[in-house]
Amino acid sequence: MENVKVLLVAIGGYGANYMKELTEKNVTGVQIEGVCEVMPGIQERFPVIKEQPIPLYHSLKDFYEEHEADLAVIATPMHLHYEQTKYCLEHGSNVLLEKPVCTDLEDARKLSALQERTGHFVAVGYQLDYRRDVLALKQDILDGKFGRPVVMKAMHALRRGESYYHRNDWAGCILANGREVNDSPFNNACAHQFQVMTFLLGERMGTAAEIDHVKAELYRANACVENYDTAAVCIKTKGGVPIYYYTTHDMAENRLGPVSEYRFEQGTVYYGTDFGEGTVEEYVAVMKDGSRRSYGNVPKGERLQKLYDSLECAKRGGQPICTVQCAIPHLETVLKLAKLPVRQIREEELEHVEENGDKFCQIRNLKNIFTACYENQQMPTEVGTRWY
């Protein structure tokens, strides 16, 4: 095809990244066929809509009555993903879908089957899966260079205040308009570092390891949040590999991690580790014989590599690397966590601060507590914490 016809669905939030990428950079071979957006004033925010002009619609139905698209890029709230992706597939479009794939396990499986029936792909936007250094690491794992995986763990947390939870009607919620969302740092802002561990353990390049057992300690620090905002999670894959993950939105620091450690029989892969000369924000493999390999010399690709891979596959055929199957283990873990109790942290363990017009809830000494958990592969209660 001469140009890939693209439909952008929701450009007011994260989808603004796609709009800016396609209109502000010299991206050739692409035509924005239309934008679907319900947010008022979107034309003032993106004057290019009027300047080009780009057709603007309020619904997928209205768009597809007048156009077709080779690729639909969907960045709507998670509880809308299934129906919108289904609609786009059935109307002849491939789909790049922001994570999570959807909110229901059966719906995810339906989307996987629908791909087969329609002959169109669904790429899920876990961006780490598309990074070329991650793919090089996974290929080395598949090639057996590290031996059998033993244990994997990661820690990543981002501080969030009241403005984050007030930005829409589903942030921090279990339900939105009667539909399950299970929003949390684990399911949303800090999902990537967990999901990529399941991806790296997948038996083939385009698959993720299936999960078996889940245990966790889930906590709510911010009383205005319906769901948990702090989590220590341990799963076992069906291959028997334990995966530990620690995340929160309630800390004094703006950011914690990401830091990761993937242990194998013949060596360990680190990310965000200080080897004595400062933190190394690259994947570094340290083998048992003392030799090292840094994946920092592998070009990572574009910031939105998931978009460029999806455009290429829409044009030439094929399936982008992060399939629906790659997203299912994370979704399944989210749903298993939803069945576990969420404990409110006692007020004496919290601090409340105001900064730059925002209000934050902070768990006292959280960085040290989570660091101890991470280093020892333990839950907060196992390192002596009594939050409830």
Side-chain angles (χ1 to χ4, degrees):
M1 65 183 69
E2 186 174 338
N3 286 316
V4 178
K5 296 178 181 179
V6 175
L7 166 64
L8 298 177
V9 185
I11 60 172
Y14 183 86
N17 290 283
Y18 295 116
M19 185 67 172
K20 292 176 181 178
E21 192 80 8
L22 294 177
T23 59
E24 297 178 7
K25 291 190 175 183
N26 186 27
V27 182
T28 59
V30 177
Q31 175 183 328
I32 301 179
E33 192 74 4
V35 168
C36 188
E37 178 59 74
V38 297
M39 182 179 290
I42 201 67
Q43 290 165 298
E44 285 68 41
R45 182 174 171 185
F46 295 101
V48 68
I49 293 175
K50 290 182 179 179
E51 292 167 359
Q52 286 201 359
I54 298 171
L56 180 62
Y57 297 91
H58 285 88
S59 72
L60 292 175
K61 180 177 181 294
D62 291 342
F63 171 82
Y64 281 107
E65 283 180 351
E66 299 182 2
H67 300 270
E68 59 183 27
D70 305 304
L71 178 68
V73 182
I74 299 176
T76 51
M78 64 183 79
H79 53 289
L80 304 178
H81 285 186
Y82 170 70
E83 292 293 343
Q84 291 176 336
T85 302
K86 178 175 180 288
Y87 196 92
C88 291
L89 288 172
E90 291 175 339
H91 284 77
S93 299
N94 299 292
V95 176
L96 169 57
L97 173 66
E98 270 311 304
K99 55 80 186 162
V101 59
C102 57
T103 60
D104 181 83
L105 192 58
E106 187 56 36
D107 284 347
R109 291 170 176 152
K110 288 177 183 177
L111 289 180
S112 188
L114 187 57
Q115 290 181 110
E116 299 296 325
R117 293 203 303 273
T118 62
H120 302 299
F121 66 72
V122 176
V124 188
Y126 291 101
Q127 56 255 29
L128 290 179
D129 294 11
Y130 299 85
R131 274 179 40 170
R132 290 352 192 196
D133 56 340
V134 172
L135 296 181
L137 171 59
K138 179 163 184 176
Q139 189 61 61
D140 284 347
I141 294 171
L142 291 173
D143 290 343
K145 292 184 178 180
F146 303 109
R148 186 179 62 85
V150 177
V151 62
M152 304 183 83
K153 59 183 179 179
M155 177 170 58
H156 186 210
L158 297 170
R159 188 188 194 209
R160 293 290 185 259
E162 285 190 6
S163 62
Y164 175 82
Y165 291 107
H166 293 160
R167 77 190 196 280
N168 56 44
D169 62 356
W170 53 268
C173 294
I174 296 172
L175 299 174
N177 299 319
R179 303 182 69 174
E180 197 170 22
V181 290
N182 294 310
D183 185 55
S184 71
F186 182 85
N187 194 20
N188 198 349
C190 300
H192 301 278
Q193 299 295 332
F194 173 84
Q195 187 275 340
V196 78
M197 290 189 285
T198 66
F199 174 71
L200 289 171
L201 292 177
E203 294 182 351
R204 298 183 304 280
M205 186 57 76
T207 65
E210 297 180 358
I211 68 164
D212 185 13
H213 174 74
V214 174
K215 72 172 184 178
E217 291 185 8
L218 308 177
Y219 297 95
R220 181 192 304 108
N222 193 329
C224 73
V225 175
E226 181 182 16
N227 205 14
Y228 59 90
D229 50 23
T230 300
V233 179
C234 175
I235 73 162
K236 272 196 175 181
T237 69
K238 288 190 175 178
V241 182
I243 296 177
Y244 291 85
Y245 190 54
Y246 307 91
T247 187
T248 185
H249 282 330
D250 305 297
M251 57 190 179
E253 299 76 15
N254 287 328
R255 173 181 168 185
L256 184 58
V259 58
S260 304
E261 185 176 320
Y262 312 146
R263 295 182 200 165
F264 296 83
E265 288 178 319
Q266 301 303 319
T268 302
V269 179
Y270 299 92
Y271 185 93
T273 297
D274 188 340
F275 291 98
E277 298 179 356
T279 300
V280 179
E281 293 188 350
E282 306 288 353
Y283 291 98
V284 179
V286 181
M287 307 305 289
K288 278 193 171 181
D289 63 7
S291 62
R292 290 189 184 185
R293 179 183 176 184
S294 172
Y295 290 84
N297 58 0
V298 179
K300 295 181 176 64
E302 299 288 341
R303 183 179 69 90
L304 291 177
Q305 191 62 51
K306 54 189 173 182
L307 173 62
Y308 290 97
D309 286 0
S310 297
L311 290 170
E312 186 67 16
C313 288
K315 185 172 186 176
R316 306 190 184 280
Q319 164 75 57
I321 194 69
C322 187
T323 62
V324 172
Q325 191 283 327
C326 290
I328 284 178
H330 176 228
L331 172 59
E332 189 172 1
T333 304
V334 168
L335 295 175
K336 287 181 179 292
L337 293 179
K339 297 178 180 179
L340 300 180
V342 177
R343 297 181 171 93
Q344 179 68 44
I345 296 179
R346 291 182 289 115
E347 186 59 35
E348 53 265 38
E349 300 291 340
L350 303 175
E351 296 176 336
H352 301 277
V353 300
E354 293 190 27
E355 295 179 11
N356 302 318
D358 204 356
K359 295 180 180 180
F360 297 88
C361 179
Q362 301 172 176
I363 302 172
R364 298 180 189 275
N365 199 35
L366 180 60
K367 180 179 179 180
N368 291 335
I369 292 168
F370 261 13
T371 298
C373 290
Y374 173 80
E375 290 176 349
N376 298 290
Q377 291 109 242
Q378 291 180 310
M379 297 287 114
T381 55
E382 294 175 322
V383 297
T385 301
R386 295 294 177 264
W387 280 338
Y388 64 96

